[in-house]
């Protein structure tokens, strides 16, 4: 113990900034590193016939990941996650653009309206959507009154509802990084492009979007990764046929009590999130490097 304390004191004396970093590292190791290690080790254990974890070690849970029943679940998860991410970016772009261009007091009010959902529990959002989409809810009655849907149409427990609610929940994750990037954009470039004869679409595609590409990649990361592991929205707004990977992990954990297989699925989900993060981060850095080369040449 004395040797450990001496080593820590040497590090602190050598790099004083470590005194500020060590608490964060300890918290990260305790809350993320150790639980992740426990999950990975559990995936290498045998399952108990009575539920839980057995005494021995085995790769059986890893082999079961090749079961064909997981293919449609993985495909469905990727499709739902991709659609949600694309919709969040498409909706978030004009919102973030307006936030960046409006006046100071109005901007503060609108930013507060975007941030407030972060302070609200997701269960409150789900309950509100269930009340609104209920057969006796205001949305259903309004659509029936406008003859847009039949009275027997069910708005709850379908794929469209799941995607709609996930877009609502994760939209702020796209708006904030897009706004931060657009706010720094030099809008004189748009005026210059128009003066040189570029049309609106050409200006948008060749000047504006490349100029905020880093914000788009950041928004994609912040939306895609949490949606990939989203569990509660499909659970409460979907049905038995809308089973995503996170819901399958919950089923293996609590219903089947097959903890090694649930841990193996969790490990795959963690790996998928890491690969997605590395991909988007790599694309963002490639764009930054290209922009730096353009500035150097100019």
């Amino acid at each position: 113990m004395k040797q450990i304390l001496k080593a820590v004191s040497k590090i602190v004396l050598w790099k004083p900034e470590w005194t500020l970093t060590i608490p964060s590292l300890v918290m990260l190791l305790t809350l993320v590193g150790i639980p992740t290690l426990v999950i990975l080790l559990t995936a290498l254990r045998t399952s108990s016939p009575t539920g839980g974890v057995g005494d021995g070690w085995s790769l059986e849970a890893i082999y079961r990941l090749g079961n064909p029943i997981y293919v449609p679940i993985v495909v469905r998860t990727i499709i739902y996650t991709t659609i949600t991410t694309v919709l969040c970016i498409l909706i978030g772009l004009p919102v973030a653009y307006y936030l960046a261009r409006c006046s100071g007091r109005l901007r503060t009010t609108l930013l507060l309206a975007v941030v407030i959902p972060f302070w609200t529990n997701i269960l409150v959002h789900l309950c509100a959507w269930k009340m609104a989409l209920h057969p006796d809810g205001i949305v259903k009655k309004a659509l029936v009154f406008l003859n847009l849907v039949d009275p027997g149409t069910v708005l709850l427990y379908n794929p469209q509802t799941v995607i709609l609610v996930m877009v609502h929940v994760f939209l702020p994750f796209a708006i904030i990084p897009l706004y931060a990037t657009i706010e720094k954009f030099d809008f004189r470039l748009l005026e210059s492009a128009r003066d040189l004869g570029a049309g609106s679409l050409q200006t948008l595609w060749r000047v504006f979007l490349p100029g905020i590409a880093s914000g788009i990649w950041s928004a994609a990361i912040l939306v895609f990764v949490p949606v990939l592991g989203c569990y509660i929205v499909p659970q409460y707004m979907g049905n038995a046929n809308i089973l995503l990977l996170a819901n399958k992990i919950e089923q293996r954990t609590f219903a089947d009590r097959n903890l090694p297989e649930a841990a193996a699925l969790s490990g795959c989900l963690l790996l998928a999130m890491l690969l997605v993060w590395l991909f988007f981060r790599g694309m963002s850095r490639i764009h930054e490097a290209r922009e730096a080369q353009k500035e150097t040449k100019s």
Side-chain angles (χ1 to χ4, degrees):
M1 187 65 182
K2 292 182 179 180
Q3 294 178 351
I4 295 176
L5 293 175
K6 287 182 180 179
V8 171
S9 62
K10 288 181 179 180
I11 293 175
V12 171
L13 292 175
W14 180 43
K15 291 185 176 182
E17 61 271 16
W18 276 85
T19 56
L20 300 176
T21 306
I22 287 177
S24 300
L25 288 176
V26 172
M27 185 176 66
L28 187 64
L29 179 64
T30 304
L31 301 180
V32 179
I34 295 177
T36 301
L37 181 62
V38 171
I39 290 174
L40 297 178
L41 291 177
T42 303
L44 301 176
R45 301 293 297 273
T46 59
S47 59
S48 174
T50 59
V53 181
D55 297 329
W57 297 87
S58 173
L59 296 176
E60 182 181 0
I62 306 297
Y63 294 146
R64 286 182 179 175
L65 296 180
N67 194 321
I69 66 171
Y70 291 123
V71 175
I73 296 175
V74 172
V75 172
R76 190 183 304 115
T77 302
I78 294 174
I79 292 174
Y80 279 41
T81 304
T82 303
I83 293 175
T84 302
T85 303
V86 172
L87 289 177
C88 284
I89 292 176
L90 291 178
I91 298 172
L93 268 173
V95 175
Y97 179 85
Y98 182 76
L99 286 173
R101 300 292 284 173
C102 64
S103 61
R105 183 172 296 180
L106 178 60
R107 179 189 302 179
T108 303
T109 304
L110 294 177
L111 278 175
L112 184 62
V114 172
V115 174
I116 281 177
F118 284 111
W119 304 341
T120 309
N121 193 292
I122 190 173
L123 289 175
V124 177
H125 295 263
L126 298 182
C127 290
W129 275 108
K130 274 200 170 185
M131 293 174 62
L133 299 177
H134 190 270
D136 295 327
I138 184 173
V139 174
K140 176 66 179 295
K141 290 182 177 180
L143 294 176
V144 171
F145 178 77
L146 297 173
N147 292 323
L148 296 177
V149 299
D150 296 329
T153 303
V154 179
L155 300 180
L156 287 170
Y157 313 118
N158 57 65
Q160 294 82 4
T161 302
V162 172
I163 293 175
L164 171 66
V165 177
M166 285 199 295
V167 169
H168 169 256
V169 170
F170 294 101
L171 183 59
F173 289 84
I175 293 177
I176 291 176
L178 288 171
Y179 162 73
T181 305
I182 295 174
E183 188 184 25
K184 301 176 183 177
F185 182 78
D186 188 359
F187 289 96
R188 291 176 298 178
L189 296 175
L190 302 181
E191 299 175 0
S192 300
R194 296 192 189 97
D195 293 339
L196 294 173
S200 299
L201 291 177
Q202 193 174 13
T203 302
L204 173 68
W205 186 256
R206 302 190 63 180
V207 179
F208 183 67
L209 291 181
I212 63 168
S214 60
I216 294 175
W217 289 117
S218 299
I221 295 174
L222 291 176
V223 175
F224 195 95
V225 172
V227 173
L228 190 63
C230 184
Y231 147 75
I232 192 169
V233 175
Q235 179 75 13
Y236 287 95
M237 305 302 296
N239 53 43
N241 296 323
I242 306 176
L243 195 65
L244 303 187
L245 191 56
N247 302 106
K248 196 64 179 179
I249 294 172
E250 182 269 342
Q251 184 185 85
R252 287 285 185 262
T253 302
F254 297 105
D256 302 339
R257 292 291 297 162
N258 191 337
L259 297 186
E261 191 167 346
L265 288 171
S266 301
C268 289
L269 188 60
L270 288 172
L271 179 61
M273 290 180 178
L274 177 61
L275 293 177
V276 168
W277 181 82
L278 290 175
F279 170 76
F280 283 123
R281 184 60 180 169
M283 295 300 296
S284 179
R285 289 190 174 184
I286 290 173
H287 171 74
E288 292 174 359
R290 288 178 179 175
E291 291 297 321
Q293 289 179 357
K294 290 180 181 180
E295 292 179 0
T296 302
K297 290 181 181 179
S298 60

